[in-house]
Amino acid sequence: MQLTGERPMEGQTPDSLLALHEAGYREVAARIGPGLVLDVGCGVGDESVTLAGAGRRLIGIDYSADTAVLAAREWGRTSPRGHRIDTACMDGGRLGFADGAFDTVCSSHIIEHFRDPERHVAEISRVCADDGTVFVLTPNRPADFENPFHVYMFEADQLASMLRLFFEEVEVLGLEGDEVFRQDFATRRASGERLLRYDVFNLRRRLPHRTYVWAYERLLPIVYRVLGSSVSGVGSGIDHTHLSISETIDDGTPVLFAIARRPRR
């Protein structure tokens, strides 16, 4: 399974992007009950633990063994913060769990990294219980800015169509930002577009993808710091409270929030 990766980082990633992830987990947590919960792509677990709660056992997986170990150290059985999550290193397109094992499955900002996302959806459907629920969060294609890590992007109807191949019941909502959040996105997008104009020969498209990703990983934190201010980017103070669920999705809606039930067998 070929997958490209990126990790939001406090102090380097713009506040509004961190807020997107935090708000998504907040909305998932508000919709789940007791049982066994799987978070695919748990990273270091800081957002995943939002899904922990009374009557739940939370399992997080990550494709990076080092990251899974770090998550276990921070939130696992030996953590001074208390045991909140069990972790493992695993491929999101080949899950090492029994059919129907989980009451809830969360796939937050993962599906866009797969070159063959249907295998990921097939797997999260397979491990979801017949009466369980799967949540899939991914950037809304029209609102997403150029990102070499995002290799398969969806609009709302496309995401719904993909999920309906594997689930009987699918609902796609929007995770919508308020005016402050939208202005932040617009400001950073305009700044990014100005920077891209310096690539007059479109060299980034001619480089091998691996080289482009290597350069992107190293330059992006610098760009974020340069562009960040009290108005936009790192240090803006924007948090999850600037985002809410909406039934209306337009080209400016930053994230699609899909709920899928009744996996097809």
Side-chain angles (χ1 to χ4, degrees):
M1 167 77 53
Q2 191 170 10
L3 175 145
T4 62
E6 60 177 339
R7 297 195 185 280
M9 297 180 66
E10 193 79 34
Q12 295 188 27
T13 304
D15 296 350
S16 55
L17 293 182
L18 294 174
L20 278 178
H21 290 259
E22 187 178 358
Y25 276 94
R26 178 198 71 203
E27 295 297 331
V28 172
R31 290 167 169 78
I32 63 176
L36 192 57
V37 180
L38 174 66
D39 186 30
V40 182
C42 66
V44 297
D46 291 349
E47 292 161 335
S48 300
V49 295
T50 306
L51 306 181
R56 297 177 197 154
R57 181 186 177 192
L58 175 61
I59 296 177
I61 66 163
D62 198 275
Y63 73 97
S64 164
D66 290 342
T67 302
V69 168
L70 181 58
R73 186 180 305 147
E74 293 295 319
W75 299 104
R77 296 179 184 275
T78 60
S79 170
R81 307 188 200 189
H83 180 204
R84 305 283 297 281
I85 186 173
D86 294 307
T87 63
C89 178
M90 203 173 292
D91 184 340
R94 185 181 291 177
L95 299 173
F97 299 111
D99 295 356
F102 292 91
D103 300 288
T104 301
V105 181
C106 177
S107 168
S108 177
H109 294 269
I110 296 298
I111 192 173
E112 66 271 15
H113 296 279
F114 288 99
R115 297 191 184 280
D116 46 357
E118 66 280 357
R119 289 184 59 186
H120 172 58
V121 178
E123 279 294 271
I124 59 179
S125 169
R126 181 184 65 78
V127 301
C128 179
D130 289 344
D131 59 351
T133 304
V134 165
F135 297 89
V136 177
L137 289 77
T138 188
N140 181 25
R141 181 175 184 173
D144 197 54
F145 190 63
E146 180 171 326
N147 185 335
F149 293 113
H150 295 175
V151 295
Y152 203 113
M153 301 298 297
F154 293 88
E155 295 185 30
D157 58 343
Q158 295 167 337
L159 180 60
S161 179
M162 167 75 75
L163 292 173
R164 287 191 181 109
L165 294 174
F166 300 95
F167 296 90
E168 297 281 356
E169 181 182 335
V170 174
E171 181 181 20
V172 179
L173 304 169
L175 187 58
E176 187 61 84
D178 63 12
E179 193 58 39
V180 172
F181 185 94
R182 284 204 172 208
Q183 184 58 52
D184 175 271
F185 255 53
T187 299
R188 290 192 301 101
R189 189 183 193 107
S191 298
E193 288 172 347
R194 285 197 298 272
L195 287 174
L196 290 180
R197 292 193 193 110
Y198 289 102
D199 185 15
V200 293
F201 298 109
N202 205 28
L203 293 177
R204 68 189 185 282
R205 301 300 187 194
R206 301 180 184 183
L207 291 171
H209 186 262
R210 181 176 298 179
T211 303
Y212 181 24
V213 168
W214 182 90
Y216 187 94
E217 283 182 308
R218 285 151 183 80
L219 291 175
L220 193 62
I222 298 171
V223 172
Y224 280 157
R225 285 196 295 272
V226 170
L227 297 181
S229 69
S230 60
V231 176
S232 177
V234 179
S236 69
I238 292 174
D239 63 17
H240 70 95
T241 62
H242 289 268
L243 294 123
S244 58
I245 291 293
S246 172
E247 294 185 358
T248 302
I249 299 171
D250 60 31
D251 287 353
T253 302
V255 170
L256 304 175
F257 185 96
I259 305 169
R261 298 184 177 92
R262 298 171 57 204
R264 299 181 188 273
R265 302 300 188 198

